[in-house]
Amino acid sequence: MTSSLSSFFLTAKVGKTSLIMSLVSEEFPQVVPYRAEEITIPADVTPERVPTHIVDYSEAEQTDEQLSSEISKANVICIVYAVNNKTSIEKVTSHWIPLINDNTDKDSRVPVILVGNKSDLVEHSSMETILPVMNQYTEIETCVECSAKNLKNISELFYYAQKAVLHPTGPLYCPEEKRMKPACIKALTRIFKVSDLDNDGILNDNELNFFQRTCFNAPLASQALEDVKNVVRKNVIDGVCDNGLTLKGFLFLHTLFIQRGRHETTWTVLRRFGCDDDLELHQDYLFPLTLKIPPDCTTELNHNAYLFLQSVFDKHDKDHDCALSPEELKDLFDVFPYMPWGPDVNNTVCTNDEGWITYQGYLSQWTHLYRQTHTQTDIYTDTDRPEKIDLQKKQTQRSVFRCNIFGDSGSGKSGFLQAFLGRNLMRQNIVSEEHMSYYAISTAYVYGQEKYLLLHEVFPDFDVLSDADQACDIVCLVYDASNPHSFEYCARVFKQYFMDTKTPCMMIAAKSDLQETKQLYALTPLEFCRKHKMPPPQAFTCNTADAPCKDIYTKLTTMAMHPHARLRCMCTCNRCTFCHLQNFINSELVQTVKAKLYTAILSRHVTQADLKSATFWLRVSVGATVFAVLGFAMYRVLLKQR
């Protein structure tokens, strides 16, 4: 919306300067100069709360260059004629409008107000003469007859001038065809669909009141709602259905507002839903302020955000098959200015057998997008404490973990990503190369907890790894077990970028279904992993009859969650003895007992006398014995369960 407004007054010897001075002084001036000085009307005394600059023109004092300059700077131009002077009326079309058009861009015409002054001198109206002119030139917003002498319609003149700028007819309505323009219909259709909360194509009373409160901060009374629907019923077939307003009826109402001169109503609605003066979604609306996240912190979608996303999914999954068909997905994004998800999204998240995005894939994609953008809203979880604190406390509240995949060309990285989505080699081979994705995101269960794991395939250019390529929760180094030159790349990446960091790393021996070949490197992959205290290389293949095994992704997520731990068992199946013991060790009971034992035995300052005291060592022995007995008892219980 315009922050300030410039009104430019044209023509000569018809009383335009008197009009300006009558507005300011609220009385007819006895002495009128050739040209009034520029006047600024403060925002607090204007109906639209916008400061207005009034600029007068004098043919006697100004040059043609100055005239052209003022026309190009004006937000609205008032052409004044004398209602008792036929020549001045004719000059509107023969001189002034062509002059304005020559000095303005064709695609952004300045709105024009025709002002018939000296109405006190005649008994008839000039409207019959002016109406054909208004119909001929679409840039003419309206015409108002007034009198500077008796102050008739003076304030209305400046109200219409403001309205022509702030609520112009041009972008909304085509007077020749007597219908709204396509851009306006498109914008209002989007607003209708956003307000149609249950997606049934009808605005019921609750939805109409939601719309009314959103735009005007007040609901409609029951009788007012019925009156609106009755007007639509009388004028539009199918405008009201099941006692609710259809899209056709909604568009009719706004056409009626515009035809009756109530442009401000439609503009209020459009601007409330993010439209700018060109009926495009405003950049601030599309791209809200982003959160300033410190480098070592994270944010995630919170529970309320997932509930909202679930409601949107349910709203558009009309056949209730827990997947979005191409038509349903198009309908979901119909309120967007463009389709934000390309064909690569089907290779980033889980899909069903028909290639449609499933409910889990839908949530995964939004989780992925939010982690990339960090939009400034109230939909993120407060996990933005430094990750180093998580490392110190050996626990985390996070639910999303990023794994960067490194490997030489042809090592099997893309297959590793697609296998996470349940696709074997046969299904991967039918995907076109231009639709491939460098990301894959889905869920993994670690000790009964659902976590999101985001895999990112890093482009294999060893010498230009950016900070973003290195920033992750876990590193996955993939080599082709059947290619003797493949492992060297992984070893070099690890030694140069990750050997001296605390980021956990895992080595993946891909294509394990093929004949394993000795790697041409100083150390074998197993020796390399032992030397650098990494888990042993994990064999992996996606060349299976069914969906590839996902245990490896659970292992990656577990390592990302517990980067401090040196995991002796890598199954994380939540069924074996080690997994049960891990659950027990991490349980609140054990942690509480451990903390109390520490407080009772070791928290106080240990002096040389304590070390020689039998009582001190007795407390230590008792505490250690209790802890050992509890652990052994739990171990026996777990063995019986197996």
Side-chain angles (χ1 to χ4, degrees):
M1 186 180 292
T2 305
S3 58
S4 63
L5 188 151
S6 176
S7 301
F8 186 47
F9 281 73
L10 276 174
T11 66
K13 299 179 181 179
V14 292
K16 60 176 174 49
T17 305
S18 299
L19 283 172
I20 297 172
M21 299 184 71
S22 295
L23 171 72
V24 176
S25 63
E26 296 185 350
E27 62 180 8
F28 184 68
Q30 298 301 318
V31 179
V32 181
Y34 283 111
R35 173 173 169 263
E37 295 296 327
E38 181 174 335
I39 299 168
T40 298
I41 302 177
D44 56 356
V45 298
T46 62
E48 298 295 339
R49 314 294 293 178
V50 175
T52 303
H53 310 290
I54 300 174
V55 182
D56 194 8
Y57 165 70
S58 172
E59 199 170 35
E61 294 185 354
Q62 292 177 287
T63 64
D64 291 343
E65 289 75 14
Q66 289 174 317
L67 173 61
S68 299
S69 175
E70 294 294 351
I71 290 175
S72 64
K73 292 188 295 183
N75 299 116
V76 58
I77 296 175
C78 298
I79 301 178
V80 185
Y81 65 90
V83 295
N84 63 341
N85 186 335
K86 186 176 180 181
T87 303
S88 70
I89 298 176
E90 293 173 349
K91 202 172 181 180
V92 170
T93 56
S94 63
H95 177 70
W96 295 116
I97 292 181
L99 177 67
I100 293 170
N101 290 340
D102 289 342
N103 287 276
T104 54
D105 184 26
K106 183 179 180 181
D107 296 328
S108 56
R109 293 293 193 202
V110 179
V112 173
I113 305 293
L114 296 184
V115 183
N117 192 24
K118 303 185 179 181
S119 62
D120 58 295
L121 300 180
V122 296
E123 296 182 356
H124 62 276
S125 172
S126 63
M127 285 301 178
E128 290 187 6
T129 307
I130 292 299
L131 281 175
V133 178
M134 294 177 62
N135 292 331
Q136 181 181 356
Y137 296 96
T138 56
E139 58 265 40
I140 299 177
E141 286 288 324
T142 189
C143 177
V144 56
E145 291 186 344
C146 57
S147 169
K149 188 172 184 178
N150 60 22
L151 306 183
K152 177 185 176 182
N153 288 342
I154 299 295
S155 59
E156 285 79 2
L157 159 63
F158 291 96
Y159 166 73
Y160 286 124
Q162 284 190 329
K163 185 177 177 181
V165 178
L166 303 178
H167 308 127
T169 308
L172 307 181
Y173 190 74
C174 181
E176 294 89 352
E177 300 178 9
K178 292 182 172 56
R179 63 180 180 85
M180 283 193 295
K181 291 186 175 180
C184 183
I185 294 174
K186 180 181 177 182
L188 289 173
T189 300
R190 170 187 165 271
I191 292 169
F192 178 89
K193 291 190 174 183
V194 171
S195 304
D196 183 14
L197 303 179
D198 56 9
N199 200 34
D200 63 350
I202 299 171
L203 295 184
N204 58 38
D205 287 357
N206 289 333
E207 291 166 340
L208 280 171
N209 271 321
F210 165 78
F211 166 82
Q212 187 74 12
R213 283 192 299 269
T214 300
C215 297
F216 306 104
N217 299 319
L220 284 173
S222 300
Q223 187 56 49
L225 279 173
E226 286 304 314
D227 292 343
V228 167
K229 287 184 280 189
N230 286 335
V231 170
V232 175
R233 286 190 185 98
K234 292 178 182 178
N235 292 275
V236 182
I237 299 175
D238 299 331
V240 176
C241 182
D242 294 335
N243 202 36
L245 202 62
T246 65
L247 175 60
K248 188 183 292 186
F250 183 76
L251 294 177
F252 165 77
L253 280 178
H254 283 281
T255 303
L256 196 62
F257 292 148
I258 296 168
Q259 289 174 341
R260 293 183 177 180
R262 293 175 55 188
H263 315 99
E264 63 274 15
T265 301
T266 300
W267 274 114
T268 299
V269 171
L270 291 167
R271 286 175 175 140
R272 180 62 184 83
F273 280 86
C275 291
D276 59 18
D277 292 345
D278 298 320
L279 300 187
E280 298 290 340
L281 289 178
H282 200 278
Q283 290 301 300
D284 291 342
Y285 185 87
L286 288 174
F287 305 103
L289 295 175
T290 55
L291 288 168
K292 294 182 180 179
I293 306 298
D296 57 349
C297 295
T298 62
T299 59
E300 298 174 1
L301 293 172
N302 64 19
H303 179 64
N304 292 331
Y306 282 114
L307 288 179
F308 169 76
L309 292 172
Q310 179 182 350
S311 69
V312 173
F313 183 93
D314 294 339
K315 173 179 173 180
H316 292 88
D317 182 21
K318 296 183 178 179
D319 54 7
H320 305 295
D321 62 348
C322 289
L324 294 177
S325 68
E327 293 76 19
E328 291 170 339
L329 192 64
K330 181 181 178 182
D331 183 50
L332 187 151
F333 287 119
D334 203 32
V335 298
F336 283 52
Y338 54 86
M339 173 63 78
W341 295 358
D344 61 320
V345 69
N346 292 62
N347 299 306
T348 304
V349 300
C350 293
T351 59
N352 63 11
D353 293 338
E354 298 180 78
W356 300 351
I357 296 176
T358 62
Y359 171 68
Q360 187 59 59
Y362 165 84
L363 293 182
S364 297
Q365 176 66 359
W366 284 115
T367 302
H368 172 210
L369 292 175
Y370 183 76
R371 185 174 175 89
Q372 287 183 316
T373 57
H374 300 305
T375 302
Q376 174 73 60
T377 62
D378 57 355
I379 60 173
Y380 66 90
T381 300
D382 187 15
T383 64
D384 53 349
R385 65 182 185 183
E387 293 178 1
K388 62 185 178 182
I389 295 179
D390 287 340
L391 291 174
Q392 293 168 0
K393 291 181 175 293
K394 300 184 179 182
Q395 60 183 352
T396 181
Q397 298 174 347
R398 296 166 55 200
S399 298
V400 185
F401 300 91
R402 181 186 179 106
C403 174
N404 283 0
I405 313 294
F406 295 87
D408 204 359
S409 298
S411 60
K413 300 188 301 298
S414 298
F416 187 75
L417 262 69
Q418 292 300 303
F420 187 33
L421 306 178
R423 297 164 188 165
N424 59 20
L425 187 61
M426 183 178 296
R427 287 190 63 185
Q428 295 177 27
N429 287 335
I430 64 176
V431 179
S432 59
E433 186 174 349
E434 61 269 23
H435 292 168
M436 289 298 294
S437 173
Y438 292 103
Y439 292 91
I441 182 169
S442 188
T443 54
Y445 287 86
V446 178
Y447 303 130
Q449 301 178 41
E450 184 184 59
K451 304 293 181 180
Y452 282 96
L453 180 64
L454 171 62
L455 304 181
H456 171 45
E457 178 184 345
V458 179
F459 191 76
D461 192 339
F462 180 84
D463 297 323
V464 291
L465 291 185
S466 65
D467 292 340
D469 293 334
Q470 301 173 53
C472 57
D473 299 298
I474 183 169
V475 171
C476 188
L477 301 163
V478 180
Y479 70 94
D480 180 356
S482 65
N483 182 349
H485 303 282
S486 185
F487 178 75
E488 182 182 3
Y489 177 91
C490 295
R492 289 173 60 200
V493 168
F494 174 81
K495 292 174 71 175
Q496 180 164 340
Y497 294 102
F498 301 105
M499 184 170 67
D500 297 326
T501 69
K502 294 183 179 180
T503 305
C505 299
M506 179 183 285
M507 200 73 68
I508 304 294
K511 305 182 183 180
S512 60
D513 57 304
L514 303 178
Q515 180 69 37
E516 184 176 3
T517 305
K518 181 180 179 180
Q519 296 296 317
L520 299 179
Y521 190 73
L523 300 174
T524 67
L526 180 58
E527 291 170 341
F528 184 90
C529 291
R530 285 176 177 172
K531 178 181 178 180
H532 296 287
K533 299 180 180 180
M534 295 165 57
Q538 304 293 303
F540 176 82
T541 180
C542 57
N543 189 14
T544 58
D546 300 320
C549 179
K550 290 191 176 183
D551 286 350
I552 187 67
Y553 306 104
T554 305
K555 297 175 185 179
L556 288 170
T557 310
T558 305
M559 290 180 65
M561 288 178 61
H562 306 286
H564 60 284
R566 299 296 181 188
L567 299 180
R568 293 170 293 165
C569 170
M570 291 299 297
C571 71
T572 62
C573 62
N574 210 28
R575 295 189 299 272
C576 70
T577 302
F578 178 80
C579 290
H580 285 303
L581 285 174
Q582 279 287 108
N583 288 339
F584 172 69
I585 292 171
N586 292 328
S587 68
E588 185 176 352
L589 172 63
V590 173
Q591 295 299 325
T592 302
V593 172
K594 180 180 177 182
K596 289 184 176 181
L597 286 173
Y598 178 84
T599 301
I601 300 173
L602 300 176
S603 62
R604 62 191 292 267
H605 180 67
V606 180
T607 64
Q608 192 69 21
D610 287 331
L611 295 176
K612 297 179 180 179
S613 169
T615 305
F616 171 78
W617 288 110
L618 178 63
R619 290 202 308 270
V620 172
S621 301
V622 170
T625 302
V626 170
F627 198 84
V629 170
L630 282 173
F632 183 73
M634 187 64 185
Y635 177 75
R636 291 289 301 273
V637 170
L638 293 174
L639 283 180
K640 288 182 179 180
Q641 288 180 351
R642 294 191 69 194

